[in-house]
Amino acid sequence: MNIRPNIKTGISVCPHDCPSTCALEVELLDANTIGRVRGSKENSYTLGVICEKVARYAERIHHPDRLLHPLKRKGPKGSGQWQRLSWDDAMGETAEAFLKAEARYGAQSVWPYYYAGTMGLVMRDGINRLRHAKKYSGMYDTFCVALSWPGYLAGCGRVAGSDPREMQKSDLIVIWGGNPVNTQVNVMTHAAIARRNRGAKIACVDVYETGTMKQADVRMLIKPGTDGALACAVMHVLFRDGYADWPYLEKYTDCPRDLEAHLKDRTPEWAAAICGCPASEIEAFAKLIGETRRTYLRIGYGFTRSRNGAVNMHAVTSIAAVAGLWQYEGAGALHSNSGMYRWNKTVIEGLDLRDPSVRVMDQSRIGPVLLNDPYDLAGGPPVTAMIVQNTNPASVAPDQTRVKQGLAREDLFVCVHEQFMTETAQLADIVLPATMFLEHDDLYQGGGHQHIMLGRKLVEPPGECRNNHEVICDLAARVGAEHRGFHMTPNELIDVTLKDSNRPGLAVLEENNWVDVQPEFETAHFLNGFGHPDGKYRFRPDWKNVRFKPGLGPYGPVDRMPEFPDYWNVIEEANETYPFRLATSPARTFLNSTFNETPSSRKREGRPTVFVHPQDMQALSIADGAKVKVGSARGEVIMHARAFEGVRRGVLIAESIWPNEAFEDGQGINTLTGCDQPAPAAGGAFHDNRVWIRPMNGG
């Protein structure tokens, strides 16, 4: 798609919850209207390629259902009865509710709640400045990386890795536990360059035949939650057959001889019985890695959304250490580069006002929190007032039934600042219209690459939409919160944050659009040492002290975590009552609950569907396309079944997240998921569910 001549073009950044953080070129038809969107060819990671969702962004930003005016609930919660009111009245009522909650129960009865609807540092994280200034309850953000990052940190000591552009120089690219065709398209761009220029092979490890797996040369189809077993068998072969790099291991790792001994009985046959992949395929996969120096492990997020996710991540990352892959260009591993930016967000987040005595509640346990579970309230008051930005917990949070029950409390005041009338907004008392990313300025980082990026305001917002910073500053003034950040513009916050973080200031970003901050090869490949005090990669992690966030955790059965890389069987294994395992994997044209409001995405995805192996369908007398009910210990949902050979028997896949209203009974897919806190750092185990499936009458 080419930008058309004679049409003004603006430069921006995709704000959505994706590591690619693509650099964008946007057609500006007038002060209020955009046209086509494409990836910037000038950015060395984006390389002109973006996903189809963002390419069609005009469909979203100019959607007729965008919220344009503040609204107040008239009838019962969820009734859909609203009246329009002014911004001043809406903010006045919100502030009054917050002050009332504070007067009755104390400041911690107010819970600002947010996540990654935008990844911009100013618009996403500024809500914490209000939190800290008022000593409102803290929030531990566990939806996404609370399981994956600790697993990576356990071995490497910092969340960073090989330059992702090095994949162009790889001879084998192993995409493990992610589906970049759906979720991170630029990974495939760089892999395709290596394939075209070097004849590189692509290997894919996943729990179903994804779009990525269809493009792979080597396809390792396993059962959910069994990645640790496969990784251990690969390392077993590397040690057994002489592929382990002993000079590297002795210099850079903590206890390679102990690891070798531990893996003696983790044979391909042992792993095959656990993960369902034939031993011969495991042998061949391990040999390919062992014989290919330039092997790049591109490690995803999805496989860690399991109760053993952190252990699985550590096991997979350990392959790179055993084979000594970090020594070579085009090799090593990368999960995320997020740890290399080292932001100082004191002014954005008001960290100079943070009080460590204020309780911090788990984002994923919003249901139990709002239903007054004593464990979650930590001896503090009930939550009686909330402001929600950048997230839609009534759809995306686990254990959805309890989430909706909690949000429906009549004694709970909820203000939702949103772009559309989401499931959460439908349960609010006040709904405020929010800008989209092209309607405000912000600062971004590339989790999957190495750029600091400037997202510019390119068009005026429609109606009365206001950005997150404006709303937080207005509310702060009304509730008596004081901090210098409330008196700064977004661009001033961007400039001070860059300079406080020892980065070039805003003027440099305005001139260049982005700044490449990739460390030198030796640092990126840990040849100057891993992130632990002794500089060694840890095969024997200190799980009790692995933290996603300082001061939080450990959570879950840390004492039972394995000493070395292993298969840790704490998943929801299938049993007689729940004979299937369900993963709620990302759909191609949805991003969590974002984009599921756009007609083209809804049309492409069809309807809520569960993929079932044909032999399982036959055994259960389920016809292809038939209506089925799927149930877990937490609830039931109605979907349609699709015969799909690209899974192991006993595995179900429901690509998500469809709006709740798209399901026949209004129960969304996260009705089935659990909100318990896996070791060592909690986190949403969205793909770790034992369920039953039954046919229903009718189609």
Side-chain angles (χ1 to χ4, degrees):
M1 179 181 68
N2 295 316
I3 296 294
R4 292 168 286 182
N6 304 318
I7 293 179
K8 184 179 178 181
T9 300
I11 305 299
S12 192
V13 184
C14 179
H16 291 289
D17 189 9
C18 165
S20 284
T21 319
C22 292
L24 304 178
E25 297 177 1
V26 184
E27 288 186 344
L28 305 177
L29 305 185
D30 58 43
N32 304 294
T33 313
I34 71 166
R36 299 175 182 175
V37 180
R38 74 164 212 181
S40 172
K41 294 181 180 178
E42 303 302 316
N43 183 275
S44 61
Y45 187 71
T46 303
L47 291 181
V49 179
I50 60 173
C51 69
E52 60 183 282
K53 300 183 288 289
V54 176
R56 299 192 304 265
Y57 215 85
E59 180 184 27
R60 186 167 194 272
I61 196 170
H62 303 308
H63 197 296
D65 292 338
R66 275 194 70 175
L67 293 169
L68 300 178
H69 310 286
L71 301 171
K72 178 181 179 179
R73 174 171 65 92
K74 288 178 60 179
K77 284 196 174 185
S79 66
Q81 301 176 56
W82 304 95
Q83 67 182 48
R84 180 174 168 180
L85 73 170
S86 69
W87 265 100
D88 186 59
D89 287 343
M91 295 304 296
E93 292 199 21
T94 300
E96 181 182 358
F98 279 30
L99 292 169
K100 180 180 178 181
E102 182 179 359
R104 182 174 182 184
Y105 293 109
Q108 293 186 60
S109 65
V110 180
W111 196 23
Y113 191 94
Y114 76 107
Y115 201 49
T118 176
M119 294 292 280
L121 273 59
V122 174
M123 299 300 166
R124 182 189 64 192
D125 300 327
I127 193 173
N128 289 318
R129 191 182 334 116
L130 175 66
R131 183 194 314 280
H132 297 317
K134 287 294 294 181
K135 301 189 189 306
Y136 293 152
S137 282
M139 189 197 78
Y140 178 30
D141 47 326
T142 56
F143 280 169
C144 185
V145 298
L147 282 162
S148 67
W149 283 14
Y152 196 87
L153 284 165
C156 293
R158 67 174 182 268
V159 181
S162 303
D163 186 336
R165 296 168 296 191
E166 286 183 30
M167 284 190 292
Q168 298 179 24
K169 300 178 180 180
S170 302
D171 295 318
L172 173 62
I173 298 161
V174 180
I175 300 171
W176 196 309
N179 181 17
V181 164
N182 281 18
T183 61
Q184 208 180 150
V185 66
N186 306 92
V187 170
M188 303 308 294
T189 300
H190 293 270
I193 292 171
R195 175 181 269 172
R196 181 176 67 245
N197 293 345
R198 301 176 60 86
K201 290 186 176 181
I202 298 173
C204 180
V205 181
D206 216 319
V207 299
Y208 74 115
E209 189 180 61
T210 63
T212 304
M213 186 174 283
K214 289 176 181 177
Q215 296 187 28
D217 303 286
V218 178
R219 305 176 182 186
M220 304 299 292
L221 183 64
I222 64 174
K223 295 178 180 179
T226 64
D227 303 79
L230 176 59
C232 285
V234 168
M235 290 186 285
H236 168 94
V237 173
L238 295 178
F239 279 116
R240 184 197 70 195
D241 293 352
Y243 296 119
D245 188 327
W246 280 105
Y248 178 88
L249 286 164
E250 297 289 1
K251 181 177 181 180
Y252 286 103
T253 71
D254 61 344
C255 53
R257 300 290 175 182
D258 293 341
L259 176 66
E260 181 186 29
H262 165 73
L263 294 172
K264 283 287 188 183
D265 60 355
R266 271 49 171 190
T267 64
E269 290 75 17
W270 166 84
I274 296 169
C275 68
C277 190
S280 59
E281 293 183 12
I282 298 173
E283 290 273 3
F285 179 46
K287 182 179 179 182
L288 181 62
I289 293 173
E291 293 180 344
T292 310
R293 279 187 169 184
R294 293 180 186 265
T295 293
Y296 194 112
L297 298 178
R298 192 64 179 86
I299 308 173
Y301 295 81
F303 79 108
T304 69
R305 288 171 188 153
S306 179
R307 287 166 180 81
N308 58 3
V311 171
N312 289 341
M313 171 63 80
H314 176 244
V316 172
T317 309
S318 295
I319 294 171
V322 171
L325 302 179
W326 298 104
Q327 300 169 93
Y328 310 111
E329 188 177 23
L334 176 67
H335 172 56
S336 171
N337 261 330
S338 297
M340 77 180 189
Y341 293 97
R342 302 182 183 276
W343 293 112
N344 181 341
K345 294 190 284 185
T346 297
V347 183
I348 288 177
E349 295 198 36
L351 297 176
D352 46 337
L353 299 179
R354 180 180 175 271
D355 182 347
S357 70
V358 173
R359 70 179 175 188
V360 178
M361 297 183 293
D362 186 340
Q363 166 189 60
S364 293
R365 289 186 60 80
I366 179 175
V369 167
L370 297 184
L371 293 177
N372 298 326
D373 188 308
Y375 165 80
D376 295 281
L377 296 181
V383 172
T384 58
M386 298 179 70
I387 180 168
V388 179
Q389 289 186 322
N390 312 322
T391 190
N392 179 19
S395 173
V396 305
D399 203 355
Q400 183 182 111
T401 299
R402 288 200 284 177
V403 176
K404 292 191 292 188
Q405 288 171 350
L407 288 169
R409 277 173 36 205
E410 283 295 335
D411 66 330
L412 172 68
F413 174 87
V414 180
C415 172
V416 173
H417 185 206
E418 255 297 354
Q419 298 160 350
F420 294 93
M421 185 60 74
T422 64
E423 292 91 341
T424 307
Q426 291 167 14
L427 293 169
D429 299 276
I430 297 290
V431 177
L432 306 174
T435 53
M436 292 189 183
F437 76 104
L438 295 173
E439 300 160 356
H440 56 243
D441 298 305
D442 214 335
L443 175 65
Y444 300 89
Q445 69 177 50
H449 53 92
Q450 60 290 304
H451 292 99
I452 294 171
M453 311 174 82
L454 178 64
R456 294 178 176 84
K457 178 180 177 180
L458 297 180
V459 292
E460 293 300 319
E464 299 180 73
C465 294
R466 294 185 183 178
N467 67 53
N468 291 3
H469 179 64
E470 292 176 289
V471 169
I472 293 301
C473 292
D474 187 339
L475 186 55
R478 293 172 188 264
V479 298
E482 296 183 0
H483 189 272
R484 64 186 177 115
F486 294 128
H487 306 286
M488 301 171 73
T489 66
N491 278 338
E492 288 171 338
L493 286 170
I494 291 170
D495 191 51
V496 73
T497 299
L498 287 165
K499 292 175 178 176
D500 286 352
S501 305
N502 298 314
R503 299 295 188 184
L506 177 60
V508 173
L509 267 189
E510 288 180 323
E511 180 179 356
N512 298 286
N513 302 315
W514 50 78
V515 176
D516 185 340
V517 296
Q518 176 66 34
E520 71 279 4
F521 179 87
E522 289 76 14
T523 298
H525 286 250
F526 300 103
L527 298 180
N528 294 328
F530 288 88
H532 300 294
D534 62 0
K536 304 280 190 179
Y537 182 90
R538 289 186 176 174
F539 292 127
R540 182 186 278 120
D542 181 11
W543 287 118
K544 290 183 179 179
N545 290 303
V546 172
R547 294 288 189 273
F548 168 46
K549 291 292 179 72
L552 295 175
Y555 297 88
V558 179
D559 291 339
R560 295 195 285 116
M561 296 185 76
E563 182 180 10
F564 293 104
D566 215 335
Y567 169 62
W568 190 33
N569 188 11
V570 291
I571 60 176
E572 282 198 349
E573 282 196 295
N575 58 26
E576 186 175 350
T577 304
Y578 302 101
F580 288 87
R581 300 261 296 137
L582 169 72
T584 59
S585 306
R588 183 165 183 168
T589 57
F590 299 156
L591 203 171
N592 302 318
S593 67
T594 305
F595 295 99
N596 67 18
E597 72 284 326
T598 57
S600 61
S601 292
R602 297 283 288 266
K603 181 178 180 181
R604 188 191 189 285
E605 300 301 332
R607 61 187 179 185
T609 299
V610 60
F611 300 162
V612 190
H613 194 281
Q615 293 179 30
D616 288 329
M617 294 182 73
Q618 183 178 12
L620 293 170
S621 300
I622 297 173
D624 192 17
K627 189 185 299 183
V628 294
K629 183 172 284 189
V630 180
S632 74
R634 294 164 286 269
E636 302 174 0
V637 300
I638 297 173
M639 293 183 280
H640 287 80
R642 179 184 301 170
F644 184 69
E645 293 185 350
V647 288
R648 297 292 175 193
R649 288 202 63 183
V651 175
L652 307 178
I653 304 293
E655 292 189 330
S656 300
I657 296 174
W658 277 92
N660 295 349
E661 53 86 13
F663 293 80
E664 183 173 300
D665 55 359
Q667 308 303 314
I669 195 64
N670 280 309
T671 302
L672 303 175
T673 59
C675 67
D676 48 302
Q677 297 177 303
F686 293 101
H687 304 332
D688 184 357
N689 309 285
R690 59 182 167 213
V691 299
W692 48 256
I693 179 171
R694 299 169 186 162
M696 296 181 66
N697 294 327

